[in-house]
Amino acid sequence: MNPQSEERILNKVAFRPSLYDVLLKPSLSGLCQSEKEAYQLILDFMEPGQLSQLEKFSFLNAVTTLSSVVRNQANGNMNNYYPKTLLAKKIETFILEEPTEILDSSVRQQAMLCIVGLRFLPHGPSPSLWGSDPENVWTIQALDDMLQALVIEDMRPNMAILQSFLEIILPWLVLSDKVQEQIRALGTISRLLRFICNFSNLSHMASFSITGKLMSTFSIFCLNPSQDICSSAMEALHYLFIILVLQRNPNDEATYKADALGQSSSGMLEPMELMHFFQFFRKYLTAVERADVILVAMESMIKGSMNDVFAASKMLKVILRCSVIDVTKVPEIIQLIYYHVERITDKNVQNTIKKIFQLLVHSHTDEVILTLLKMEDQSQRGTHKSWEILASFPKGYEVIMEYLLQRIISPQAPEDQKADQKTELSTLTATRAIHEMLLVPSQQSEVQTFFASLFVALLFQISSLVTKGSTMAQDEQHETESVNPVSFSLEALKTLMRSSGYIEHLSYIQTLGVWDLLVSPEKHYDGVTLLARSLVVKKCWHNRPVFSFFIKTLQSRGCTNYFTALVFLTELLCCPDVAGVVDEVATRILADWFNCDELATALQFLQITEVYTKHKNTVKMDQGQRAYHREGIGAPGELIRHLHILQPYVLRCCYSFSSDLVMETFRMLQRILKDLTWHHSSSFVLKLIFTLEHFFEEESEQLRLVVFEIYASILAKVSRMTLVFPLRHQILNLLVLLVLHLKDVNAAVVEVRSRTVEPGIQFSLEVNAEHASFPWFHVLSPLSPQVCRLILCNIATILHWSKLKKVFAKSDVFTILGALLRQEKSKTLWFLKQCVALFKSPQGPIRQVAVWFAGQIIWNLDKAEEQEIEEEYAAFRYMQKDPDPIVSCLTVQTFYILEAKEKVIPVETPSSCLCMRRRTKWRYC
């Protein structure tokens, strides 16, 4: 443009005073001081003359301020203050004065924003700024051209500038109730978007943040009763879609344009257009833009007209086709629902909002919960209104409760969290949310459903906090400085029981001091035990579900609170109702947690095993079932029938490196034997008998006592009919050992017991079952020699050795051995092998008798038999080096006698062992 042309244009639009300067006297009473100053600034700068850049900005800001005043007035009109036409001409001079080679100057941009604002201001009967007068340079086309020129930057549209224009125009579209103003706003937006469609390369597209708002607004107006508004909105939406396709997936351009040719000529959103809307919502919009679409639609449903409500509801129904909504601004959506859902009376609209809420609960649970907690903090304490809203949404309460349970039971590890996951629900926050949900009065029936899982989860939460130190509490310290995580979790557990109707149970638990024990690191598991026992004593009707949930959690090898579960289940299994539902699967799950290396776990496992033997029949039987039971076929529902699953683990404990565990294992076996029958437990008893062989020579006198007592208890269950081959062979293989242990040194230890025990008599302590379901105490044992004598008498009875039974009952060791050798001559070599095995006994008196008995056996062997005992003879000779001088001396003397025998007695002459014993007995001793 040459200087002469520019001068002509300036002369054409030069400011000329009008009658408004003289006649117009506006009322400024309703304006604040800054607005009055803006009005006066406009008057001052409207005078002819050249203005500086700073003065131009001041004038434009004053026009913007006054425009805002007019826009906010009910019947506002800029002409009441100053004619819009004159203001527009003044602004045009600013634009024309700017250099033409630079289109993005600050003054030009601010001037165009003022013009856009003036265009949509109401105007009265004064000359129209937007009229069709051919002499008026401010035609619609001119303005469009100017707007289009302004958004161009470096030969491509600047989307940030476009957003500034649209943010000024949109209020006139949304807030105006005049059809012409809405059509004009839509037309301007549509033409701008159409202009943008001509460019494939846009600048600052990332800054264009109103895509979702535009899409939602246009879609709502596509269902407007006015045909003109519908058509304009459809056109604007069409161009917006083209821009999105070009910028986010250019390959879809041809497909979309082909589909767009078939869109309805009515301008209304038909099925094809609804399909496009759904596709664009799902494929082309970002999470922020999707949230804007939902927010705009919901605001229209809440605050808009009936037409807007219908249109927004229809649009949201299309969105609800998505099973999961990936959106941001979840707190804003939840708050919008929370504060306005009660005002909506239309059932269809309510259902649509409920479905939106459900989708958010499923896909953004953390943010929903945190938002509800925040609103609870902001509202009046104790009202729980923010949680009661869940009751009005189907499955909302259940979904959130299930999610919170998982957050407590299996908290997400930091390395498992998504990098872009800004909102992470901590364990303490999840516990607080559960506590709040338990206080909702309308959800008491739902609490019953979740009792078992909630109970276990909260108990695990307390155990983790108490037994593993304050690590979790320190990790969550940033959330609140005033909340003790342990106390908070404990209060949630109390609230659960109170909400479930266990008021009496709470009182009983309080009496036992359970709560104090639970929060004590040293006595925590005592508290767990008493808590479980209280549920058994008070016959809690949730015992079975609680047991089932414990088993369910133990199925995962990642359960960190497995020991708490085992302690609790030890007591819970004492409940007949619980024992009735224990099956093989549950028993195997418990057995899988057995760890012999962990003393506490192994000891707990032994207690569980003992409980299994206490329930002989846990279900009611009809007459037919009783008949089967009498016949020995077995009773259904017996917990003991699953004992075979635990038995291998118990026997493994006998060989533990921990002497305490070994001792407790045998004590437990001693206790449970009286509850075991040969019919149901013969396999286990046989395995136990062969296990005992390795412990008769234990150095621990206390352990040795228990082993002999167990063996005596087993033999008391054996009859002639049950004396099968392995058992008979094993009994005969221990005969010499049992006789020699009549010399056991344990007699002195037993004699200092506080209670007198008659020979051969066993007893147990009585314990009040109300205070201890199954007491873990040590049974007092009789004297070891007396136990051995009792065992020998039982063996004689089983084997029908009537003569030997009298000898076993009263005679000394040497007499018994002599009688045994006389009656069982065929077992001579077997007895010798048993003697040799006892050469390694840690007790000197037993080795001494073993050497003596071995000498007696060898004396009576013939040449053929002597050739079969080379190994035994070598072991016998080695006993000359025994550390006990009595044993070594006896061995030497025995060898002298055996050598003398070979010289004095001819080979063919038989001799009497018993006569020799009588002649040399005192000499040996």
Side-chain angles (χ1 to χ4, degrees), residues 376-574:
E376 173 69 19
D377 293 337
Q378 294 173 349
S379 63
Q380 184 178 358
R381 275 288 182 182
T383 60
H384 311 292
K385 181 181 177 183
S386 58
W387 300 100
E388 290 177 0
I389 190 175
L390 293 175
S392 61
F393 296 102
K395 302 299 182 182
Y397 190 93
E398 294 92 327
V399 171
I400 289 186
M401 189 64 80
E402 287 285 358
Y403 181 81
L404 292 173
L405 282 170
Q406 293 303 317
R407 297 300 302 166
I408 293 180
I409 295 175
S410 303
Q412 189 177 7
E415 58 270 16
D416 296 332
Q417 298 175 11
K418 295 181 179 179
D420 57 347
Q421 191 172 0
K422 298 180 180 179
T423 305
E424 181 61 30
L425 199 64
S426 67
T427 306
L428 179 59
T429 304
T431 305
R432 180 191 168 191
I434 288 177
H435 183 255
E436 294 292 342
M437 294 181 71
L438 291 173
L439 294 174
V440 178
S442 61
Q443 298 297 317
Q444 297 304 311
S445 60
E446 299 294 342
V447 173
Q448 298 293 332
T449 305
F450 286 98
F451 178 86
S453 52
L454 282 173
F455 184 90
V456 175
L458 292 173
L459 180 61
F460 281 175
Q461 169 86 350
I462 295 170
S463 288
S464 297
L465 292 169
V466 173
T467 62
K468 298 176 183 178
S470 58
T471 304
M472 296 177 65
Q474 292 174 358
D475 293 341
E476 297 174 354
Q477 189 174 5
H478 65 279
E479 295 185 22
T480 173
E481 297 292 339
S482 60
V483 176
N484 183 336
V486 178
S487 300
F488 198 87
S489 302
L490 193 65
E491 187 60 34
L493 183 60
K494 294 179 183 178
T495 303
L496 171 64
M497 299 191 69
R498 191 179 299 111
S499 302
S500 301
Y502 291 120
I503 306 300
E504 183 181 351
H505 296 67
L506 282 173
S507 177
Y508 181 75
I509 292 172
Q510 182 67 36
T511 303
L512 296 177
V514 173
W515 306 129
D516 293 334
L517 293 174
L518 281 177
V519 299
S520 171
E522 296 80 14
K523 300 181 178 180
H524 171 73
Y525 293 111
D526 293 337
V528 174
T529 299
L530 288 178
L531 180 61
R533 188 174 298 168
S534 67
L535 298 186
V536 176
V537 173
K538 290 299 180 179
K539 299 179 179 179
C540 171
W541 56 85
H542 283 101
N543 281 343
R544 281 190 177 188
V546 168
F547 169 80
S548 299
F549 196 83
F550 268 116
I551 294 298
K552 180 180 178 181
T553 58
L554 288 176
Q555 283 182 299
S556 171
R557 297 303 298 177
C559 179
T560 57
N561 292 286
Y562 67 91
F563 189 73
T564 301
L566 295 177
V567 171
F568 197 95
L569 289 175
T570 303
E571 292 294 329
L572 199 60
L573 285 169
C574 299

Side-chain angles (χ1 to χ4, degrees), residues 239-259:
Y239 292 129
L240 178 63
F241 284 172
I242 292 178
I243 294 174
L244 291 177
V245 171
L246 290 174
Q247 298 303 314
R248 297 180 181 178
N249 197 349
N251 296 330
D252 293 347
E253 178 185 4
T255 303
Y256 170 72
K257 289 185 176 180
D259 291 340

Side-chain angles (χ1 to χ4, degrees), residues 61 79 182 188 192 277 358 373 442 505 553 635 692 726 804 854:
N61 290 333
N79 292 330
Q182 292 175 335
T188 302
L192 276 173
F277 177 85
Q358 288 178 8
L373 284 173
S442 61
H505 296 67
T553 58
L692 294 176
L804 282 178

Side-chain angles (χ1 to χ4, degrees), residues 108-118 150 161 164-165 168:
R108 180 181 284 110
Q109 292 180 5
Q110 186 65 27
M112 292 303 301
L113 291 175
C114 286
I115 290 177
V116 173
L118 287 174
L150 186 60
I161 298 176
S164 301
F165 291 163
I168 296 174

Side-chain angles (χ1 to χ4, degrees), residues 79-95:
N79 292 330
N80 294 335
Y81 295 97
Y82 210 94
K84 289 193 297 184
T85 304
L86 298 180
L87 290 174
K89 290 181 178 180
K90 184 68 173 180
I91 296 172
E92 184 191 15
T93 60
F94 293 169
I95 296 175

Side-chain angles (χ1 to χ4, degrees), residues 290-304:
R290 294 192 193 101
D292 289 337
V293 170
I294 295 174
L295 283 170
V296 171
M298 293 185 65
E299 288 174 355
S300 297
M301 294 174 67
I302 295 170
K303 304 176 183 179

